[in-house]
Amino acid sequence: MKISEVIVLLAAGTVGGIFSTVVSIASLVTYPALLALGVPPLSANMTNTVSLVLTGAGSAASSRPELAGLGRRVLRLGAVAAAGGAAGAAVLLTAPSGAFTLVVPVLIGGSSLLLLIQPRISGLARAPGGRHRAVYGAALFAVAMYIGYFGAAAGIMLLVVLSSMIDEPLVRVNAVKNALSGIGNAMAAVCFTLFGEVRWELVVPLAAGFLIGGWIGPAIARRVPAGPFRVLVSLCGIGLAIRLGISAYR
């Protein structure tokens, strides 16, 4: 691998880690970076997923104070997240490769729009309770399945679902979100490692960038106005979706 490619991936991973910390949409940077290096779409997504594993582990580890007393709940919900992540990976591995190329512009565009309206959906009222447990479980499985398949902006979706399931302060719900997202992503990464096409030589610099970005992201988040930054990232995502769509559908 060329030094220039290492630098590109390290930079993309760092920016992606920052984006993941601030607006939960790391793939908006790292996926197109892999495409720009000539990696096929399917392999680029699998490589990106595997590279994100350490980020998820780091997020969960840094959230240990907020997760205190929630261990059993995390394990219970983690089983659903793991099953969903594996199911999403299975869909990606078994579906025709051309189908992923066609659906990615839609996923990126949809996740960018979701990011744009995040303040509205984040304010949804909680409704915890056993009556809706099956519905919430199905929603959690669906989001985890999306994490295993592609995952852009999945953190936003997961936070909305968990806010309806868990009657805890937002900081603790967010910690559970980090843990479950990491579990779903890790399960998908295992599937891709065993059965997929992971470009391992690209994983190391990309994962290193994710670690750096995840480390400095919180400091940036405290200084950058969230609203304008979210709008800027959303518009960039919509532009990327249009560009990939033109390439895929022409």
Side-chain angles (χ1 to χ4, degrees):
M1 203 170 44
K2 299 178 181 178
I3 295 297
S4 59
E5 294 176 336
V6 173
I7 294 173
V8 167
L9 290 173
L10 188 62
T14 301
V15 176
I18 294 170
F19 277 27
S20 177
T21 301
V22 181
V23 290
S24 301
I25 193 166
S27 299
L28 187 63
V29 180
T30 52
Y31 176 73
L34 289 167
L35 294 181
L37 294 178
V39 183
L42 206 59
S43 181
N45 184 52
M46 295 180 188
T47 301
N48 190 60
T49 297
V50 172
S51 301
L52 277 166
V53 168
L54 290 180
T55 302
S59 297
S62 65
S63 300
R64 282 183 297 176
E66 290 80 16
L67 291 172
L70 296 174
R72 290 186 178 181
R73 175 171 283 175
V74 169
L75 289 176
R76 186 173 66 252
L77 298 179
V80 179
V91 172
L92 186 70
L93 289 167
T94 56
S97 58
F100 180 76
T101 303
L102 294 175
V103 77
V104 159
V106 177
L107 295 178
I108 292 179
S111 62
S112 299
L113 291 173
L114 184 66
L115 177 61
L116 195 62
I117 64 172
Q118 179 186 5
R120 293 179 179 271
I121 61 177
S122 295
L124 294 176
R126 295 175 181 166
R131 293 179 302 169
H132 306 293
R133 188 173 298 171
V135 174
Y136 293 145
L140 174 59
F141 180 87
V143 174
M145 189 172 177
Y146 173 64
I147 291 172
Y149 186 82
F150 187 60
I156 300 171
M157 305 178 195
L158 197 54
L159 192 60
V160 171
V161 173
L162 292 174
S163 293
S164 300
M165 298 176 68
I166 303 174
D167 189 15
E168 294 283 352
L170 182 60
V171 64
R172 283 168 65 82
V173 176
N174 189 65
V176 175
K177 181 264 292 181
N178 290 337
L180 298 188
S181 180
I183 291 171
N185 189 82
M187 183 57 67
V190 170
C191 295
F192 296 152
T193 298
L194 294 175
F195 307 109
E197 300 176 6
V198 178
R199 296 284 297 272
W200 289 102
E201 73 277 13
L202 307 180
V203 167
V204 175
L206 191 58
F210 277 134
L211 285 175
I212 295 170
W215 179 264
I216 66 178
I220 293 176
R222 287 190 289 268
R223 292 172 173 80
V224 176
F229 187 72
R230 185 180 62 253
V231 172
L232 175 62
V233 173
S234 299
L235 294 178
C236 290
I238 292 170
L240 175 63
I242 292 172
R243 185 176 70 80
L244 293 177
I246 292 173
S247 176
Y249 304 138
R250 69 182 177 185

